[in-house]
Amino acid sequence: MSNQLLEINSVSTFSGNTVNLKNVGISLAPSEVHALIGERGVGKGLIVDVLLGAEKQFTGSIIFNEKNITHKIGDISKTEINFLIKEPMLADGLRVYENFFLIKDNNKNFFQTINHLRLKKQVKETFDQLNISIDIKSYIHDLTAEDKKVLEIAKLYYYQPDVVVMFEPTENLTKNSKEIFFDLLKKLKQNGTGILYVTDKWEEGLQIADKISIMFEGEIVGTLPTEKAKKNPVKLLQLMSGFNIKRNMDKDLKIIQEENEEVIDAIFTATEYLTSNYELNDILKMLCKYSCKIMNSKGSSIYLIDDSTQTIMDHISYSEDDFQISQLKPETIMEIMKENTYYYKNSKEQDFHGLFKKKTTCQTILCYPVLIRSNKTALIEVAYDDIFLYNEKQLRYLKTLSRQAAVAIDNTRLLGKSTMLQETHHRIKNNLQTITSIIRMQKNNYKKKGHQNVDALLEDIVSRIKSIAVIHDLLSQDIEGRSIINVKKLINALLDFYVLNGKPEIILCLQDIFIPYNKTTSISLIINELINNCIKHAFDNIEKGKIYISCQEQEGFFYISIKDNGKGLPPDFSIHELKSLGLFLVKSIVINDFSGSFDIYYDKGTIAVIKIPKEKLLLSKA
């Protein structure tokens, strides 16, 4: 007698002459979460389609509670097997509480009962137990994508099915809704429900599953207990990339084993390195170095990309010998990223040298994008000093390196939650120490100037604290959790403290410039001081005050300038003998923290200019 709720045995699907699923076998026990993970396009969705009954052309068998339901999948009730998939199975023209009891049978929707008063009561009780605030009388077409998924979650809780099949269940969910969802998982497990959790977010599998099966190109290439996967994430990554040492008789492995063992070792070493707690600079350098080794190239570059702004956040290169590798133009990179596939070009093609910012000795480039959950994260480029003709083996290497990089970069923030929490506490502690130091300086300054207004003193302190608080607010809004801040967003957030009803008028000229968290507090403080200085001192008796703020990158330097059309500087002002604590702070931070320069002078108002060497703010130097 089997102790399994659900057994998928040797299931294969066919599309024309192509095999999509190859003898897939998965088992699910009561009170068990079994995660099926793999990258997009490896066949996970086909498993779900088979269980839904949407995929008819398959061989193999499906056993539920020891009964063969292979050809009777459509007859299974939602109290036996239920689903939480990407597209909600809801009727738009009905209300929330009506959808709760909607049953699908023979392709027709109908209600099991028409006692609306009782329906509303049952739905309201379920929502209260899960802390869901959706109006039960709302129509489905008025709900957000998140509300629809939350409704599906509540239905699972109500029906308490024997088996739940989940496909990318956290997609479209915010933090609060995820808490509701993960609470539901605990309740379902306690009730004896078995959960098949299908996702490409393998960190979620590590977080909630009892065991993990890994799919690659239509096959289950390995199944690991979660505890084993946590202790050896490199093994998990190897399986996700198709390098499964157990498949000794498999043709793909035979090809791999015939290839250069040194190259395979390099890929695995790179993976191990990336899954450790290294800084971004180390990761980028390592990837470039291993790209050269794996691809037998003279040079390699990685371009870190912010997908939302289509901006190159950072760039780092590695080259062998004296090979000179030139940066690709930003527009070239974005064009390559649009294709989401290999990009090859050599010097025999007319437009080759127009791809680069400067003249290069490079003769061939081969590129491949790094994507994380469809977000364009980076571009890997390998460069050669002669005409290089790639083969399928090298394309496979580059694709593997890209996949490893995508998973690993993503999980520098997702693996080891406790380490990240410690780092967060460390950051906050440092900022609190900064605030304490500023207050102490303000106190000493107040003693020297006994006539200073106490309200003004406190306002200055509050302003500086807010300039640090805004950083944590911006970080909390970054769904990718990169600990990277766009200076453009930072400046706009700081201006929210000062601008009221459009006064003063703000004119902005800002580039997308990305800086790591550990540089952000200093940048935020100096920008805040200069804006505050304009607001407080520039516009006495001036009705139409204007502030011009510019942040640009030019010839290896970052320039931040803040100009006003105000009354100008006092007659006795000297940049060498600053009497203002705020300007003293700005000068001190710019010179001591960034080896930059700070100047302030009169030009039809006051203009302050900060010049910082680019390498002092680069992400890869963090």
Side-chain angles (χ1 to χ4, degrees):
M1 183 175 180
S2 172
N3 65 343
Q4 302 298 310
L5 276 174
L6 182 69
E7 296 175 78
I8 301 170
N9 298 320
S10 301
V11 168
S12 298
T13 62
F14 303 86
S15 176
N17 296 321
T18 304
V19 177
N20 297 303
L21 296 180
K22 307 170 189 176
N23 296 315
V24 170
I26 301 171
S27 62
L28 183 66
S31 298
E32 178 182 70
V33 178
H34 188 156
L36 176 62
I37 68 169
E39 297 171 359
R40 292 179 185 269
V42 297
K44 305 187 305 298
L46 275 172
I47 293 289
V48 178
D49 286 344
V50 168
L51 294 172
L52 276 167
E55 177 60 54
K56 306 292 186 182
Q57 301 299 317
F58 71 92
T59 59
S61 64
I62 300 170
I63 310 297
F64 171 69
N65 272 336
E66 300 185 334
K67 295 180 181 179
N68 191 324
I69 63 167
T70 307
H71 303 295
K72 301 177 181 178
I73 294 174
D75 298 336
I76 299 299
S77 75
K78 64 172 59 180
T79 59
E80 293 176 307
I81 300 179
N82 214 324
F83 294 85
L84 181 63
I85 59 177
K86 287 184 177 182
E87 295 298 324
M89 297 186 287
L90 302 169
D92 279 353
L94 298 178
R95 298 179 189 272
V96 167
Y97 75 88
E98 293 169 331
N99 269 272
F100 220 72
F101 299 94
L102 192 64
I103 296 175
K104 193 169 185 179
D105 184 49
N106 296 326
N107 299 318
K108 294 181 181 179
N109 294 324
F110 66 96
F111 289 107
Q112 198 170 28
T113 176
I114 55 172
N115 187 335
H116 286 253
L117 187 62
R118 185 161 67 88
L119 295 186
K120 292 176 188 176
K121 181 181 177 183
Q122 290 174 331
V123 175
K124 183 68 169 62
E125 288 175 353
T126 302
F127 279 14
D128 289 344
Q129 290 170 23
L130 291 174
N131 198 27
I132 295 172
S133 58
I134 300 171
D135 183 355
I136 64 172
K137 297 178 183 177
S138 298
Y139 284 97
I140 296 300
H141 56 66
D142 291 329
L143 299 183
T144 64
E146 179 179 15
D147 286 341
K148 290 177 183 179
K149 181 156 278 189
V150 170
L151 172 57
E152 295 275 56
I153 290 169
K155 288 171 66 177
L156 291 177
Y157 177 71
Y158 178 82
Y159 283 102
Q160 297 283 328
D162 296 322
V163 169
V164 177
V165 179
M166 299 180 172
F167 187 34
E168 301 299 356
T170 60
E171 201 167 278
N172 297 325
L173 295 184
T174 60
K175 181 182 177 183
N176 289 339
S177 296
K178 283 182 181 179
E179 289 177 359
I180 293 171
F181 169 69
F182 287 120
D183 186 52
L184 166 75
L185 287 183
K186 292 177 183 177
K187 287 181 168 66
L188 289 174
K189 280 191 67 175
Q190 291 168 359
N191 191 55
T193 298
I195 299 166
L196 181 60
Y197 196 100
V198 184
T199 182
D200 57 20
K201 304 177 183 69
W202 66 274
E203 68 276 6
E204 289 183 2
L206 287 177
Q207 185 179 356
I208 55 93
D210 300 296
K211 64 182 178 183
I212 298 175
S213 289
I214 301 94
M215 179 168 277
F216 179 77
E217 295 183 355
E219 296 182 76
I220 301 296
V221 295
T223 299
L224 302 171
T226 303
E227 289 306 312
K228 184 177 180 180
K230 286 180 179 177
K231 291 176 182 177
N232 187 10
V234 175
K235 176 66 174 176
L236 191 66
L237 295 174
Q238 290 175 1
L239 292 169
M240 287 184 69
S241 297
F243 293 103
N244 181 11
I245 306 306
K246 291 183 179 180
R247 296 162 62 198
N248 292 317
M249 302 305 293
D250 188 271
K251 184 176 74 172
D252 290 344
L253 180 64
K254 186 178 179 182
I255 293 172
I256 291 170
Q257 289 176 332
E258 289 173 353
E259 292 169 354
N260 191 331
E261 289 295 333
E262 185 181 10
V263 173
I264 302 301
D265 288 342
I267 292 172
F268 291 163
T269 303
T271 302
E272 185 171 10
Y273 195 98
L274 284 163
T275 53
S276 302
N277 188 28
Y278 285 92
E279 293 294 331
L280 181 60
N281 184 40
D282 299 320
I283 292 173
L284 294 176
K285 284 182 178 178
M286 186 283 309
L287 280 173
C288 286
K289 182 177 179 180
Y290 275 101
S291 294
C292 287
K293 184 174 183 179
I294 292 167
M295 298 300 296
N296 195 27
S297 65
K298 283 291 186 178
S300 176
S301 293
I302 292 180
Y303 304 87
L304 194 62
I305 297 164
D306 181 68
D307 198 14
S308 62
T309 60
Q310 296 287 285
T311 303
I312 311 304
M313 296 194 296
D314 202 4
H315 161 260
I316 194 166
S317 293
Y318 172 85
S319 61
E320 302 281 357
D321 305 323
D322 297 325
F323 179 70
Q324 297 295 318
I325 183 169
S326 179
Q327 290 187 40
L328 293 170
K329 293 177 180 177
E331 55 268 32
T332 301
I333 295 166
M334 292 309 170
E335 282 300 314
I336 294 172
M337 294 299 288
K338 283 180 184 178
E339 300 302 320
N340 289 348
T341 188
Y342 305 102
Y343 180 86
Y344 171 85
K345 211 91 168 176
N346 65 50
S347 59
K348 290 186 176 181
E349 298 176 71
Q350 189 173 3
D351 59 345
F352 178 78
H353 290 289
L355 302 175
F356 303 92
K357 284 186 174 182
K358 297 179 181 179
K359 189 175 180 180
T360 177
T361 57
C362 172
Q363 299 297 306
T364 306
I365 61 167
L366 182 62
C367 305
Y368 197 78
V370 176
L371 277 72
I372 296 177
R373 290 187 284 280
S374 297
N375 293 319
K376 299 176 178 66
T377 301
L379 180 73
I380 296 181
E381 171 202 5
V382 290
Y384 300 83
D385 61 355
D386 56 8
I387 303 299
F388 169 79
L389 298 177
Y390 63 85
N391 56 37
E392 286 300 317
K393 179 175 73 173
Q394 283 146 338
L395 290 184
R396 185 162 62 251
Y397 285 159
L398 190 58
K399 185 177 180 180
T400 298
L401 188 62
S402 172
R403 285 200 303 254
Q404 302 285 50
V407 174
I409 290 171
D410 195 27
N411 284 277
T412 54
R413 62 180 184 269
L414 293 171
L415 271 181
K417 297 285 185 180
S418 60
T419 302
M420 288 188 64
L421 188 59
Q422 290 171 8
E423 175 63 15
T424 301
H425 290 319
H426 179 68
R427 292 171 175 177
I428 293 172
K429 182 191 77 173
N430 286 348
N431 280 340
L432 288 173
Q433 289 174 341
T434 301
I435 291 168
T436 302
S437 299
I438 289 172
I439 292 174
R440 188 176 293 113
M441 291 172 67
Q442 197 87 38
K443 175 184 172 185
N444 294 335
N445 194 56
Y446 177 73
K447 286 181 177 179
K448 293 178 182 177
K449 302 177 180 179
H451 61 280
Q452 189 176 2
N453 185 286
V454 174
D455 289 340
L457 171 77
L458 294 175
E459 283 178 9
D460 285 345
I461 293 172
V462 169
S463 170
R464 287 162 187 150
I465 292 173
K466 282 182 175 179
S467 72
I468 295 175
V470 75
I471 298 167
H472 292 281
D473 184 47
L474 289 173
L475 287 171
S476 71
Q477 296 171 28
D478 183 3
I479 60 174
E480 296 186 21
R482 299 169 299 185
S483 294
I484 296 169
I485 285 182
N486 189 341
V487 176
K488 180 191 286 188
K489 286 188 177 181
L490 176 63
I491 291 173
N492 278 293
L494 290 171
L495 286 171
D496 287 342
F497 297 147
Y498 298 107
V499 179
L500 184 64
N501 298 325
K503 294 184 178 180
E505 182 184 353
I506 306 293
I507 297 94
L508 299 175
C509 182
L510 308 175
Q511 287 183 349
D512 290 296
I513 295 174
F514 296 84
I515 59 176
Y517 173 87
N518 60 347
K519 309 291 178 68
T520 310
T521 299
S522 297
I523 293 295
S524 184
L525 279 171
I526 61 179
I527 293 173
N528 179 73
E529 290 298 333
L530 295 175
I531 295 173
N532 190 31
N533 200 54
C534 289
I535 301 293
K536 286 173 63 177
H537 304 299
F539 303 121
D540 292 349
N541 302 318
I542 295 176
E543 186 175 341
K544 294 184 178 180
K546 294 183 180 181
I547 299 177
Y548 304 82
I549 303 177
S550 173
C551 184
Q552 306 286 320
E553 177 193 345
Q554 295 177 9
E555 298 179 350
F557 291 91
F558 289 120
Y559 290 88
I560 301 170
S561 67
I562 299 180
K563 181 182 185 301
D564 62 62
N565 65 337
K567 63 183 182 180
L569 297 165
D572 61 344
F573 178 83
S574 170
I575 189 70
H576 304 293
E577 296 181 11
L578 293 172
K579 298 176 182 179
S580 161
L581 175 61
L583 293 180
F584 176 79
L585 275 172
V586 172
K587 183 178 179 181
S588 177
I589 291 171
V590 170
I591 293 173
N592 296 326
D593 289 7
F594 299 118
S595 302
S597 63
F598 171 58
D599 197 8
I600 185 167
Y601 54 89
Y602 178 79
D603 182 11
K604 298 179 182 179
T606 301
I607 180 167
V609 180
I610 294 165
K611 178 181 177 183
I612 297 173
K614 183 178 176 180
E615 65 269 15
K616 294 296 182 179
L617 281 181
L618 281 178
L619 295 174
S620 57
K621 300 295 181 183

